[in-house]
Amino acid sequence: MKEPLTGLEAACLDALELFREHDEDPRTLLAALLDGQATDTIVRLDLHDLLSAGYFTRHDTVSEVALQELAVEMASSGPIIVMTEGTTDARFLKRGLQIVAPDLAGYFTFLDPDAKAAGGAPELVKSLRAFAAAGIMNRVIALVDNDAAGRQAVNTLSSAPLPGRFKVCLLPDLDYVKDYPTLGPTGDTRYDINGRACSVEFYFGLDCLLTASGDPFPVRWTGYNNAINEYQGELVPRDKKTVQERIDQMLTSAEAGGSSLDDRWDAMRKIAQTIIAAAES
């Protein structure tokens, strides 16, 4: 330059070196250049050098390509959102993950565990589609109950696939519910309720599910799901409330260091492995 630089100009040039030498985000510089411009100012960005170098073709929509690249960057580094069918599910699973996988729990954020939104698999499907339509760039993992409604939700979403950063997972199968008491029109019978009636309440060990007599609280069949040709079952509301209270006590004791992480936590460990595998994929 022929003219000597003022102190402010020299400081600005020094600051620009950050963008040349330290790989700073160029959008920060662009925002600084645009800040304070008149609202009717026309700004043009000359991309001829990039076009000539083959970074894109004349037919590419450059802004869309940039947004796709940003989505990939956000998906790989941003927080991973975990969605569940209900607020109680989110609260229990968030606390359980912090107990069985404390070194990894910080990478996941459970969506509004205190919100009073409508629950259930159909509502979760709607929320996932809304997230996808809104262009949410974070990785999203949806955990659905291992029951008939959950399996139908997985089938529904597979018929019109979500973006690759969205994963939908059934809660894992459990060994101790393969011969479980159920109530139905034909009386008391025992069935494998994996894929039929396993909500989150079944994933904190069999002890939480036992009555005073030592038998598990039975599952009541509530209807036939024509979409997957399977019955849907669930705990009676009164029994479900009792199980949830026991789970809350179990979590509180573990959080206070008052109980060992024995085999009662194996089902929660399976869920943690399911979440981690979905995040890695």
Side-chain angles (χ1 to χ4, degrees):
M1 291 199 175
K2 296 180 181 180
E3 298 292 332
L5 297 176
T6 64
L8 177 60
E9 290 171 338
C12 288
L13 284 178
D14 288 340
L16 287 176
E17 289 300 313
L18 290 173
F19 295 91
R20 288 162 41 103
E21 298 179 0
H22 300 287
D23 199 27
E24 294 289 327
D25 191 332
R27 289 169 299 183
T28 305
L29 176 59
L30 181 60
L33 291 171
L34 295 175
D35 185 44
Q37 298 290 333
T39 56
D40 59 351
T41 300
I42 297 175
V43 179
R44 293 184 176 88
L45 183 62
D46 189 345
L47 300 177
H48 283 87
D49 288 344
L50 295 177
L51 177 64
S52 299
Y55 285 98
F56 59 89
T57 70
R58 291 183 178 276
H59 303 291
D60 289 336
T61 51
V62 181
S63 59
E64 291 184 10
V65 172
L67 285 173
Q68 291 171 1
E69 293 176 351
L70 181 61
V72 172
E73 177 184 343
M74 176 63 74
S76 63
S77 60
I80 303 168
I81 299 172
V82 180
M83 301 177 67
T84 62
E85 291 191 22
T87 58
T88 301
D89 296 1
R91 185 167 61 252
F92 284 166
L93 294 179
K94 179 181 180 179
R95 295 170 67 188
L97 187 63
Q98 290 170 340
I99 290 169
V100 301
D103 52 334
L104 296 174
Y107 291 98
F108 302 92
T109 178
F110 284 77
L111 183 64
D112 288 334
D114 295 322
K116 303 300 181 183
E123 291 299 324
L124 182 57
V125 169
K126 292 179 183 178
S127 296
L128 283 170
R129 294 217 182 280
F131 269 42
I136 298 297
M137 295 181 182
N138 300 67
R139 281 175 287 176
V140 178
I141 300 172
L143 287 177
V144 295
D145 290 349
N146 188 8
D147 58 12
R151 289 165 57 192
Q152 181 184 357
V154 172
N155 291 345
T156 298
L157 291 168
S158 64
S159 64
L162 296 166
R165 60 187 178 276
F166 286 68
K167 300 294 179 184
V168 183
C169 306
L170 279 171
L171 293 177
D173 283 354
L174 297 170
D175 290 333
Y176 52 79
V177 300
K178 290 182 177 179
D179 185 36
Y180 199 86
T182 67
L183 302 174
T186 59
D188 300 351
T189 53
R190 300 184 75 91
Y191 280 105
D192 181 352
I193 62 169
N194 283 305
R196 295 174 172 178
C198 285
S199 58
V200 166
E201 287 76 19
F202 287 85
Y203 288 83
F204 290 87
L206 188 59
D207 288 351
C208 288
L209 297 163
L210 299 180
T211 65
S213 64
D215 297 319
F217 288 115
V219 159
R220 181 174 61 187
W221 300 118
T222 57
Y224 190 76
N225 189 314
N226 291 300
I228 63 169
N229 298 318
E230 195 61 82
Y231 280 98
Q232 168 76 17
E234 60 185 29
L235 292 171
V236 176
R238 178 185 64 254
D239 297 340
K240 184 174 183 177
K241 184 173 185 292
T242 299
V243 174
Q244 289 177 345
E245 290 172 350
R246 293 175 179 176
I247 293 172
D248 187 58
Q249 294 170 1
M250 179 178 169
L251 289 166
T252 300
S253 178
E255 289 164 345
S259 61
S260 61
L261 301 185
D262 51 25
D263 56 5
R264 294 178 301 166
W265 294 91
D266 286 349
M268 187 63 228
R269 292 186 180 99
K270 281 188 174 183
I271 293 179
Q273 292 167 1
T274 299
I275 295 174
I276 293 167
E280 291 175 343
S281 63

